[in-house]
Amino acid sequence: MTEGYIKFNCNWEQKEIQIQDEIFGQLEAARTRLYKLRLIGMYPDGIGFGNISVESRESSSFIITGSATGQFAKLEPKHFALVTGYNFTQNAISCTGQTKASAESLSHAAVYETLPEVGAVVHVHCLELWKELLNVLPTTSAEIEYGTPEMAGAIQQLLTNMKPDEKVIVMGGHREGILAFGQNLEEATSEIIKIYNRLSK
Ligand SMILES: [Zn+2]
């Protein structure tokens, strides 16, 4: 572990959350597209990867896939959590749900906080895409590892300097990690699938 590493802190209230049918439908549709392309899934060692989120109507909160849900082809509302608060420097989030929010919630929070027009974020893993896009698309420093407070700061800094039509960033220090975002789940998902289709031809 890196020196000065601050462990991810999840302040979890284990309680059922209500997700509107329409929103749940959008989450499920977006995730299914990504799951089928193996941009979200599970490694042979049982560790899940990839997560998606959508902004909730309440300001500064968002609904995100729960930790350890990567292996499921279909999700139920109980597999999602509502992130109600976060603190980048303490590497901490507060969440509610029947499952804990993804440990990568802070990367999503960094996007929402920096770009108010963004309504949905998807985080996928794909080694081929990652290698192709590294330092071609906006990329966070290779020195900054996943799960560190520095990653949120690096994402924010990158976003601040990006052109408005750029909707995908590569996480240089998080092997395979790519983030895409948009006004809604459809847009965020299409942004990454568009690139995936272009490169896999
Ligand atoms: Zn990741």
Side-chain angles (χ1 to χ4, degrees):
M1 261 181 204
T2 318
E3 202 180 321
Y5 181 89
I6 301 171
K7 194 176 164 285
F8 174 64
N9 242 303
C10 182
N11 177 8
W12 179 36
E13 189 189 356
Q14 191 174 4
K15 198 180 90 180
E16 193 179 333
I17 54 162
Q18 298 301 323
I19 305 176
Q20 284 180 304
D21 290 346
E22 190 193 342
I23 302 290
F24 181 73
Q26 291 167 10
L27 283 164
E28 197 50 16
R31 189 182 174 279
T32 300
R33 289 173 75 193
L34 298 168
Y35 183 86
K36 283 185 176 160
L37 296 174
R38 296 176 168 273
L39 294 170
I40 287 180
M42 188 177 79
Y43 293 115
D45 63 2
I47 305 286
F49 60 85
N51 34 72
I52 67 174
S53 71
V54 64
E55 211 169 25
S56 160
R57 285 194 178 158
E58 297 152 56
S59 59
S60 79
S61 67
F62 56 91
I63 297 164
I64 188 166
T65 38
S67 62
T69 57
Q71 74 269 37
F72 302 121
K74 285 208 164 295
L75 297 187
E76 296 169 34
K78 69 174 182 191
H79 295 120
F80 289 87
L82 180 71
V83 176
T84 53
Y86 54 87
N87 184 310
F88 294 133
T89 49
Q90 290 173 10
N91 209 6
I93 63 161
S94 298
C95 65
T96 307
Q98 286 162 284
T99 177
K100 282 185 186 177
S102 162
E104 288 176 308
S105 294
L106 284 165
S107 295
H108 292 244
V111 180
Y112 291 122
E113 189 176 291
T114 315
L115 304 174
E117 70 276 20
V118 166
V121 178
V122 306
H123 170 57
V124 301
H125 281 204
C126 178
L127 186 57
E128 282 171 17
L129 269 192
W130 185 82
K131 283 181 175 168
E132 288 278 349
L133 302 175
L134 194 68
N135 298 317
V136 174
L137 292 184
T139 302
T140 58
S141 161
E143 312 286 304
I144 296 169
E145 291 174 37
Y146 145 77
T148 60
E150 288 76 20
M151 180 60 92
I155 290 170
Q156 291 195 295
Q157 204 183 10
L158 202 60
L159 292 175
T160 310
N161 297 309
M162 274 164 61
K163 297 183 203 103
D165 60 337
E166 291 179 311
K167 312 253 188 241
V168 176
I169 64 175
V170 181
M171 299 161 94
H174 178 36
R175 197 173 161 82
E176 301 199 18
I178 300 167
L179 277 174
F181 45 87
Q183 287 182 317
N184 51 47
L185 281 160
E186 216 282 313
E187 190 187 4
T189 307
S190 296
E191 286 294 334
I192 192 68
I193 291 180
K194 211 163 61 187
I195 294 172
Y196 178 90
N197 286 338
R198 204 166 63 214
L199 291 182
S200 58
K201 266 173 198 150

